[in-house]
Every structure is written in C-alpha cells, then in structure tokens.
Amino acid sequence: MQDNRNIELRRSLPVSPERIWELWTTPEGISAWWAPDGFSTTVDVLELRVGGALDHTMTATGPEQIAFMEKAGMPLSTRSHKEFTEVDEPRRLAYVSLIDFVPGLDPYEHLTVVTLERTASGTDVVMECEPLHDQEWTERIVAGRTNELDNLERLVSDTAGR
C-alpha cells in the first residue's frame, strides 16, 4: 500500500536565505545545481510569479547516464514543466511539476514546497513533496530530490568561504 504522507528533506546551509533563493529562482542558479549527477540542466522559461512557469531541459552528459538512457530507449534530453503556486521571497517557494514521463500512466501534478528559514549559521532549507503514484516512483523522487539538495549543499559549501 502506498504511504500518502508527504516527504520532508532538510539541510542546514552556511549561506543566507537570499543566496539560496537566488540559486533556486534564477536560470544561472538552477543550472549550477539542479541536475542529478551525470546530467545538465538548462532553463528554457522562468516566470517567477504565482501562475508562472519554469520549463527546463535535462540532458544526460555522463557516459553511464547516456548508456542507461539509450539502453532504456529514452531520449537523452527531457523537457520538464513546473508552475509556481507560491512565491514569497526569500522564505517560501511552491510549485507543481507535471509528471508526464511515466509509461502507461496519465500525466498528473506533483507539489513541492521549499521553505527557507534564517538561522544564526545560515539557512535551514526544508523541501516537502508529495509521494508519487507508487512506492518505486516515490523512492525515485526522494533519491532525485536528495541528490538536488546534496548538489546545492556542495555548491554553497564550495563558495561560502569566498
């Protein structure tokens, strides 16, 4: 049976909420950390407002990822669409992603809410998202979102001392 509780991932990062917001809401910021390992992300459309869109293209760039995509008969590049449902700079960002890439399943929307809280040492980042349609796909989204936060943490840790 599918667990319908939201997934919550947390990180404490050594930079201001404004810096995290910039990395999460600009094409340059998103391109610097959004993609999983072995992929790159380019931002095609970014309208940072409630009802606005974020369209981005993720492309396999690593040899293992390219081989996996080719073996699975999947394209090396995939375009994704998100719509912002909440924009409260620099505290809270929410968006629905269109899940339209699961074979045999009608497209549906998936909510993610990001909360940034200033702390004495930087920012606590809380990413909350809904489970997907089954346990396997939910595990995939958790792994993907964990990788995103790992990439973000690595990026800000590398640049925090500059």
Side-chain angles (χ1 to χ4, degrees):
M1 177 175 220
Q2 174 65 30
D3 183 349
N4 289 321
R5 291 177 294 181
N6 284 348
I7 296 113
E8 188 175 285
L9 303 171
R10 296 177 166 269
R11 290 290 192 289
S12 292
L13 303 177
V15 296
S16 69
E18 292 80 7
R19 178 64 178 141
I20 301 296
W21 183 268
E22 177 187 357
L23 290 169
W24 217 296
T25 61
T26 64
E28 301 78 22
I30 292 167
S31 295
W33 67 275
W34 195 289
D37 296 336
F39 289 82
S40 66
T41 297
T42 56
V43 174
D44 305 309
V45 174
L46 179 57
E47 303 164 328
L48 188 60
R49 61 178 171 73
V50 173
L54 169 58
D55 293 335
H56 60 88
T57 302
M58 196 168 297
T59 302
T61 56
E64 291 177 22
Q65 291 77 9
I66 291 170
F68 173 83
M69 300 297 277
E70 288 175 343
K71 184 177 180 183
M74 299 170 70
L76 296 183
S77 292
T78 305
R79 187 171 170 137
S80 297
H81 174 77
K82 299 176 185 334
E83 182 176 314
F84 295 107
T85 59
E86 192 174 344
V87 178
D88 181 15
E89 182 179 351
R91 291 177 288 281
R92 195 167 159 96
L93 186 67
Y95 49 87
V96 290
S97 303
L98 183 61
I99 307 299
D100 62 354
F101 47 81
V102 181
L105 197 65
D106 289 338
Y108 64 95
E109 292 183 340
H110 175 258
L111 178 66
T112 299
V113 179
V114 179
T115 305
L116 307 177
E117 184 177 318
R118 188 178 307 276
T119 65
S121 61
T123 304
D124 282 347
V125 178
V126 179
M127 180 189 281
E128 186 177 346
C129 58
E130 299 173 325
L132 293 185
H133 59 278
D134 69 19
Q135 188 62 36
E136 177 184 354
W137 283 91
T138 296
E139 289 171 7
R140 289 180 183 183
I141 196 79
V142 168
R145 295 297 166 81
T146 299
N147 183 257
E148 288 173 6
L149 289 176
D150 290 347
N151 290 345
L152 179 62
E153 184 173 22
R154 196 167 30 251
L155 177 65
V156 300
S157 294
D158 289 348
T159 60
R162 292 185 199 169

Short mmCIF file of all heavy atoms in Angstrom, two decimals, residues 107-149:
data_model
loop_
_atom_site.label_atom_id
_atom_site.label_comp_id
_atom_site.label_asym_id
_atom_site.label_seq_id
_atom_site.Cartn_x
_atom_site.Cartn_y
_atom_site.Cartn_z
N PRO A 107 -0.71 11.78 -17.30
CA PRO A 107 0.02 12.84 -16.60
C PRO A 107 -0.75 13.35 -15.38
O PRO A 107 -1.99 13.36 -15.37
CB PRO A 107 0.13 13.95 -17.66
CG PRO A 107 0.00 13.23 -18.97
CD PRO A 107 -0.94 12.09 -18.70
N TYR A 108 -0.01 13.75 -14.35
CA TYR A 108 -0.62 14.33 -13.16
C TYR A 108 0.36 15.34 -12.55
O TYR A 108 1.52 15.39 -12.92
CB TYR A 108 -1.03 13.26 -12.15
CG TYR A 108 0.11 12.46 -11.55
CD1 TYR A 108 0.67 12.81 -10.33
CD2 TYR A 108 0.61 11.33 -12.20
CE1 TYR A 108 1.70 12.06 -9.77
CE2 TYR A 108 1.64 10.58 -11.64
CZ TYR A 108 2.18 10.96 -10.43
OH TYR A 108 3.20 10.22 -9.88
N GLU A 109 -0.15 16.16 -11.62
CA GLU A 109 0.67 17.18 -10.99
C GLU A 109 1.21 16.71 -9.64
O GLU A 109 0.55 15.93 -8.95
CB GLU A 109 -0.15 18.47 -10.80
CG GLU A 109 -0.49 19.13 -12.12
CD GLU A 109 -1.23 20.44 -11.96
OE1 GLU A 109 -1.82 20.69 -10.88
OE2 GLU A 109 -1.21 21.23 -12.91
N HIS A 110 2.39 17.21 -9.31
CA HIS A 110 3.10 16.82 -8.09
C HIS A 110 3.60 18.09 -7.40
O HIS A 110 4.34 18.87 -8.01
CB HIS A 110 4.27 15.91 -8.47
CG HIS A 110 5.14 15.54 -7.34
ND1 HIS A 110 6.36 16.13 -7.12
CD2 HIS A 110 4.97 14.65 -6.34
CE1 HIS A 110 6.91 15.61 -6.04
NE2 HIS A 110 6.09 14.71 -5.55
N LEU A 111 3.21 18.32 -6.15
CA LEU A 111 3.54 19.54 -5.42
C LEU A 111 4.85 19.42 -4.64
O LEU A 111 5.09 18.42 -3.96
CB LEU A 111 2.42 19.88 -4.44
CG LEU A 111 2.63 21.11 -3.54
CD1 LEU A 111 2.67 22.39 -4.38
CD2 LEU A 111 1.54 21.18 -2.48
N THR A 112 5.67 20.48 -4.74
CA THR A 112 6.87 20.63 -3.93
C THR A 112 6.81 22.00 -3.26
O THR A 112 6.50 22.99 -3.91
CB THR A 112 8.14 20.54 -4.80
OG1 THR A 112 8.18 19.26 -5.42
CG2 THR A 112 9.41 20.74 -3.97
N VAL A 113 7.12 22.05 -1.97
CA VAL A 113 7.16 23.31 -1.22
C VAL A 113 8.55 23.42 -0.57
O VAL A 113 9.00 22.50 0.10
CB VAL A 113 6.07 23.35 -0.12
CG1 VAL A 113 6.15 24.66 0.66
CG2 VAL A 113 4.68 23.16 -0.73
N VAL A 114 9.20 24.56 -0.80
CA VAL A 114 10.53 24.81 -0.25
C VAL A 114 10.40 25.98 0.73
O VAL A 114 9.89 27.04 0.37
CB VAL A 114 11.53 25.16 -1.37
CG1 VAL A 114 12.90 25.46 -0.77
CG2 VAL A 114 11.60 24.04 -2.39
N THR A 115 10.87 25.76 1.96
CA THR A 115 10.85 26.80 2.98
C THR A 115 12.28 27.10 3.40
O THR A 115 13.06 26.18 3.64
CB THR A 115 10.03 26.34 4.21
OG1 THR A 115 8.72 25.96 3.76
CG2 THR A 115 9.90 27.45 5.23
N LEU A 116 12.61 28.39 3.45
CA LEU A 116 13.95 28.84 3.85
C LEU A 116 13.81 29.62 5.14
O LEU A 116 13.07 30.60 5.20
CB LEU A 116 14.55 29.73 2.77
CG LEU A 116 14.57 29.16 1.34
CD1 LEU A 116 15.13 30.18 0.37
CD2 LEU A 116 15.35 27.86 1.29
N GLU A 117 14.54 29.18 6.17
CA GLU A 117 14.48 29.84 7.47
C GLU A 117 15.88 30.29 7.89
O GLU A 117 16.79 29.46 7.97
CB GLU A 117 13.90 28.90 8.52
CG GLU A 117 13.71 29.54 9.87
CD GLU A 117 13.08 28.60 10.86
OE1 GLU A 117 12.14 27.87 10.50
OE2 GLU A 117 13.54 28.58 12.02
N ARG A 118 16.01 31.59 8.14
CA ARG A 118 17.30 32.14 8.56
C ARG A 118 17.67 31.58 9.93
O ARG A 118 16.83 31.48 10.82
CB ARG A 118 17.22 33.66 8.62
CG ARG A 118 18.57 34.33 8.87
CD ARG A 118 18.47 35.84 8.88
NE ARG A 118 17.82 36.40 7.71
CZ ARG A 118 18.43 36.67 6.55
NH1 ARG A 118 19.71 36.41 6.41
NH2 ARG A 118 17.76 37.18 5.55
N THR A 119 18.94 31.21 10.08
CA THR A 119 19.47 30.72 11.36
C THR A 119 20.73 31.53 11.69
O THR A 119 21.22 32.29 10.85
CB THR A 119 19.81 29.22 11.29
OG1 THR A 119 20.90 29.05 10.36
CG2 THR A 119 18.62 28.38 10.86
N ALA A 120 21.26 31.31 12.86
CA ALA A 120 22.49 32.00 13.26
C ALA A 120 23.65 31.65 12.35
O ALA A 120 24.56 32.46 12.14
CB ALA A 120 22.83 31.67 14.71
N SER A 121 23.65 30.44 11.78
CA SER A 121 24.76 30.00 10.94
C SER A 121 24.45 29.99 9.45
O SER A 121 25.27 29.56 8.66
CB SER A 121 25.20 28.60 11.38
OG SER A 121 24.13 27.68 11.23
N GLY A 122 23.26 30.45 9.05
CA GLY A 122 22.92 30.46 7.63
C GLY A 122 21.43 30.27 7.40
O GLY A 122 20.63 31.10 7.79
N THR A 123 21.07 29.12 6.79
CA THR A 123 19.69 28.87 6.40
C THR A 123 19.33 27.40 6.59
O THR A 123 20.09 26.52 6.17
CB THR A 123 19.46 29.23 4.91
OG1 THR A 123 19.85 30.59 4.71
CG2 THR A 123 18.01 29.04 4.49
N ASP A 124 18.18 27.15 7.19
CA ASP A 124 17.61 25.82 7.17
C ASP A 124 16.69 25.74 5.96
O ASP A 124 15.81 26.58 5.78
CB ASP A 124 16.79 25.53 8.44
CG ASP A 124 17.67 25.20 9.64
OD1 ASP A 124 18.88 24.94 9.44
OD2 ASP A 124 17.14 25.18 10.76
N VAL A 125 16.94 24.74 5.13
CA VAL A 125 16.15 24.50 3.93
C VAL A 125 15.28 23.28 4.18
O VAL A 125 15.80 22.22 4.55
CB VAL A 125 17.05 24.24 2.70
CG1 VAL A 125 16.21 23.95 1.46
CG2 VAL A 125 18.00 25.40 2.46
N VAL A 126 13.97 23.43 4.01
CA VAL A 126 13.05 22.30 4.13
C VAL A 126 12.35 22.13 2.80
O VAL A 126 11.71 23.06 2.29
CB VAL A 126 12.01 22.53 5.26
CG1 VAL A 126 11.06 21.34 5.34
CG2 VAL A 126 12.70 22.77 6.59
N MET A 127 12.51 20.95 2.20
CA MET A 127 11.83 20.63 0.94
C MET A 127 10.80 19.56 1.26
O MET A 127 11.14 18.48 1.73
CB MET A 127 12.83 20.11 -0.10
CG MET A 127 12.18 19.77 -1.43
SD MET A 127 13.29 18.92 -2.58
CE MET A 127 14.24 20.29 -3.22
N GLU A 128 9.55 19.89 1.02
CA GLU A 128 8.46 18.95 1.27
C GLU A 128 7.80 18.65 -0.06
O GLU A 128 7.51 19.55 -0.85
CB GLU A 128 7.45 19.59 2.23
CG GLU A 128 6.36 18.66 2.66
CD GLU A 128 5.43 19.31 3.67
OE1 GLU A 128 5.77 20.37 4.24
OE2 GLU A 128 4.35 18.75 3.88
N CYS A 129 7.58 17.36 -0.33
CA CYS A 129 6.91 16.99 -1.58
C CYS A 129 5.97 15.81 -1.35
O CYS A 129 6.14 15.03 -0.42
CB CYS A 129 7.90 16.71 -2.69
SG CYS A 129 9.09 15.42 -2.40
N GLU A 130 5.00 15.76 -2.22
CA GLU A 130 4.03 14.67 -2.16
C GLU A 130 4.66 13.38 -2.65
O GLU A 130 5.60 13.42 -3.46
CB GLU A 130 2.83 15.00 -3.06
CG GLU A 130 2.09 16.24 -2.68
CD GLU A 130 1.03 16.63 -3.71
OE1 GLU A 130 1.24 16.42 -4.92
OE2 GLU A 130 0.00 17.15 -3.28
N PRO A 131 4.15 12.25 -2.19
CA PRO A 131 4.61 10.98 -2.78
C PRO A 131 4.09 10.89 -4.22
O PRO A 131 3.12 11.56 -4.58
CB PRO A 131 3.97 9.92 -1.89
CG PRO A 131 2.83 10.60 -1.22
CD PRO A 131 3.16 12.06 -1.15
N LEU A 132 4.75 10.08 -5.02
CA LEU A 132 4.25 9.83 -6.37
C LEU A 132 3.25 8.67 -6.32
O LEU A 132 2.87 8.22 -5.25
CB LEU A 132 5.40 9.56 -7.33
CG LEU A 132 6.33 10.75 -7.60
CD1 LEU A 132 7.37 10.40 -8.65
CD2 LEU A 132 5.56 11.99 -8.02
N HIS A 133 2.84 8.19 -7.47
CA HIS A 133 1.73 7.24 -7.59
C HIS A 133 2.00 5.86 -7.01
O HIS A 133 1.06 5.12 -6.73
CB HIS A 133 1.32 7.12 -9.06
CG HIS A 133 2.46 6.66 -9.92
ND1 HIS A 133 3.42 7.54 -10.38
CD2 HIS A 133 2.81 5.44 -10.36
CE1 HIS A 133 4.31 6.86 -11.09
NE2 HIS A 133 3.96 5.58 -11.09
N ASP A 134 3.27 5.47 -6.84
CA ASP A 134 3.56 4.18 -6.20
C ASP A 134 4.90 4.27 -5.46
O ASP A 134 5.61 5.28 -5.55
CB ASP A 134 3.52 3.01 -7.20
CG ASP A 134 4.64 3.01 -8.22
OD1 ASP A 134 5.69 3.66 -8.02
OD2 ASP A 134 4.48 2.34 -9.26
N GLN A 135 5.21 3.24 -4.72
CA GLN A 135 6.41 3.25 -3.87
C GLN A 135 7.69 3.37 -4.68
O GLN A 135 8.60 4.11 -4.30
CB GLN A 135 6.44 1.99 -2.99
CG GLN A 135 7.52 2.00 -1.95
CD GLN A 135 7.38 3.15 -0.94
OE1 GLN A 135 6.28 3.53 -0.57
NE2 GLN A 135 8.50 3.71 -0.52
N GLU A 136 7.79 2.65 -5.79
CA GLU A 136 9.01 2.70 -6.61
C GLU A 136 9.28 4.11 -7.11
O GLU A 136 10.40 4.62 -7.00
CB GLU A 136 8.90 1.73 -7.79
CG GLU A 136 10.10 1.79 -8.71
CD GLU A 136 9.96 0.90 -9.94
OE1 GLU A 136 8.98 0.14 -10.05
OE2 GLU A 136 10.85 0.99 -10.79
N TRP A 137 8.26 4.77 -7.67
CA TRP A 137 8.43 6.13 -8.18
C TRP A 137 8.63 7.13 -7.05
O TRP A 137 9.35 8.11 -7.20
CB TRP A 137 7.28 6.50 -9.11
CG TRP A 137 7.45 5.87 -10.45
CD1 TRP A 137 6.96 4.65 -10.85
CD2 TRP A 137 8.20 6.38 -11.55
NE1 TRP A 137 7.36 4.38 -12.14
CE2 TRP A 137 8.12 5.42 -12.59
CE3 TRP A 137 8.93 7.54 -11.76
CZ2 TRP A 137 8.74 5.62 -13.82
CZ3 TRP A 137 9.54 7.73 -13.00
CH2 TRP A 137 9.44 6.77 -14.01
N THR A 138 8.03 6.89 -5.90
CA THR A 138 8.26 7.77 -4.74
C THR A 138 9.71 7.66 -4.31
O THR A 138 10.36 8.68 -4.04
CB THR A 138 7.30 7.41 -3.59
OG1 THR A 138 5.95 7.67 -4.03
CG2 THR A 138 7.59 8.22 -2.35
N GLU A 139 10.26 6.46 -4.28
CA GLU A 139 11.67 6.28 -3.93
C GLU A 139 12.57 7.00 -4.94
O GLU A 139 13.59 7.60 -4.57
CB GLU A 139 12.02 4.80 -3.86
CG GLU A 139 11.41 4.13 -2.64
CD GLU A 139 11.57 2.61 -2.64
OE1 GLU A 139 12.26 2.06 -3.52
OE2 GLU A 139 10.98 1.96 -1.74
N ARG A 140 12.18 6.98 -6.21
CA ARG A 140 12.95 7.68 -7.24
C ARG A 140 12.93 9.19 -7.02
O ARG A 140 13.96 9.85 -7.16
CB ARG A 140 12.42 7.36 -8.64
CG ARG A 140 12.71 5.95 -9.09
CD ARG A 140 12.15 5.70 -10.46
NE ARG A 140 12.36 4.33 -10.88
CZ ARG A 140 12.03 3.85 -12.06
NH1 ARG A 140 11.45 4.63 -12.96
NH2 ARG A 140 12.27 2.59 -12.36
N ILE A 141 11.77 9.75 -6.69
CA ILE A 141 11.69 11.20 -6.47
C ILE A 141 12.47 11.59 -5.22
O ILE A 141 13.15 12.62 -5.19
CB ILE A 141 10.23 11.71 -6.44
CG1 ILE A 141 10.19 13.25 -6.61
CG2 ILE A 141 9.52 11.39 -5.16
CD1 ILE A 141 10.34 13.73 -7.99
N VAL A 142 12.42 10.76 -4.19
CA VAL A 142 13.19 11.05 -2.97
C VAL A 142 14.69 11.02 -3.29
O VAL A 142 15.44 11.91 -2.88
CB VAL A 142 12.84 10.07 -1.83
CG1 VAL A 142 13.82 10.18 -0.69
CG2 VAL A 142 11.41 10.32 -1.35
N ALA A 143 15.13 10.04 -4.05
CA ALA A 143 16.54 9.96 -4.43
C ALA A 143 16.94 11.17 -5.26
O ALA A 143 18.00 11.77 -5.05
CB ALA A 143 16.82 8.67 -5.20
N GLY A 144 16.09 11.58 -6.19
CA GLY A 144 16.37 12.73 -7.03
C GLY A 144 16.43 14.02 -6.23
O GLY A 144 17.35 14.84 -6.39
N ARG A 145 15.45 14.22 -5.34
CA ARG A 145 15.42 15.44 -4.53
C ARG A 145 16.57 15.46 -3.53
O ARG A 145 17.13 16.52 -3.24
CB ARG A 145 14.07 15.59 -3.83
CG ARG A 145 12.91 15.79 -4.80
CD ARG A 145 13.09 17.09 -5.57
NE ARG A 145 12.25 17.22 -6.72
CZ ARG A 145 10.98 17.60 -6.72
NH1 ARG A 145 10.37 17.86 -5.59
NH2 ARG A 145 10.32 17.71 -7.85
N THR A 146 16.95 14.29 -3.00
CA THR A 146 18.11 14.22 -2.10
C THR A 146 19.37 14.60 -2.85
O THR A 146 20.20 15.37 -2.35
CB THR A 146 18.22 12.80 -1.49
OG1 THR A 146 17.03 12.54 -0.73
CG2 THR A 146 19.45 12.67 -0.61
N ASN A 147 19.50 14.11 -4.09
CA ASN A 147 20.66 14.46 -4.92
C ASN A 147 20.68 15.96 -5.21
O ASN A 147 21.74 16.59 -5.16
CB ASN A 147 20.64 13.64 -6.21
CG ASN A 147 21.84 13.91 -7.07
OD1 ASN A 147 21.75 14.63 -8.07
ND2 ASN A 147 22.97 13.35 -6.71
N GLU A 148 19.52 16.55 -5.48
CA GLU A 148 19.45 18.00 -5.71
C GLU A 148 19.99 18.75 -4.49
O GLU A 148 20.82 19.66 -4.62
CB GLU A 148 18.01 18.46 -5.97
CG GLU A 148 17.45 18.06 -7.31
CD GLU A 148 15.97 18.39 -7.44
OE1 GLU A 148 15.38 19.03 -6.54
OE2 GLU A 148 15.38 18.00 -8.46
N LEU A 149 19.51 18.37 -3.31
CA LEU A 149 19.96 19.06 -2.09
C LEU A 149 21.44 18.81 -1.81
O LEU A 149 22.14 19.70 -1.33
CB LEU A 149 19.10 18.65 -0.90
CG LEU A 149 17.67 19.20 -0.93
CD1 LEU A 149 16.86 18.66 0.25
CD2 LEU A 149 17.66 20.72 -0.94
#
